[in-house]
Amino acid sequence: LPVQASINAKMAKFAGGPVMAALLSFAVGTIGLLLFALFSQPNFSLQLANTRQAPAYAWIAGILGAFYVVGSVYLLPK
């Protein structure tokens, strides 16, 4: 986690701030995870379809993760 925070803080200097750095981090991570899931999960589409049954609060994890990354990028230099 400290390595990720410092790399994201470096990206924030080039991207215009912590929110844009976090957005880029999540975009690259999403693409990487999607490719990994497509090639490593034989039932990928079925597993994805099953997420419709997840409770609404389970979706909050993604938002919490985004705020965590933005917060770490913002607070690291301080």
Side-chain angles (χ1 to χ4, degrees):
L1 290 176
V3 172
Q4 181 189 16
S6 63
I7 291 171
N8 282 335
K10 180 65 79 175
M11 177 57 85
K13 292 180 181 179
F14 293 96
V19 173
M20 191 59 155
L23 177 67
L24 292 169
S25 178
F26 272 85
V28 171
T30 298
I31 292 167
L33 283 172
L34 180 61
L35 290 172
F36 182 75
L38 285 171
F39 291 107
S40 68
Q41 302 296 317
N43 299 320
F44 177 74
S45 60
L46 178 61
Q47 292 171 333
L48 194 58
N50 287 340
T51 61
R52 292 185 193 134
Q53 299 170 5
Y57 66 84
W59 294 93
I60 294 172
I63 294 170
L64 293 174
F67 282 112
Y68 173 80
V69 170
V70 170
S72 69
V73 173
Y74 180 75
L75 295 174
L76 183 76
K78 297 177 182 0

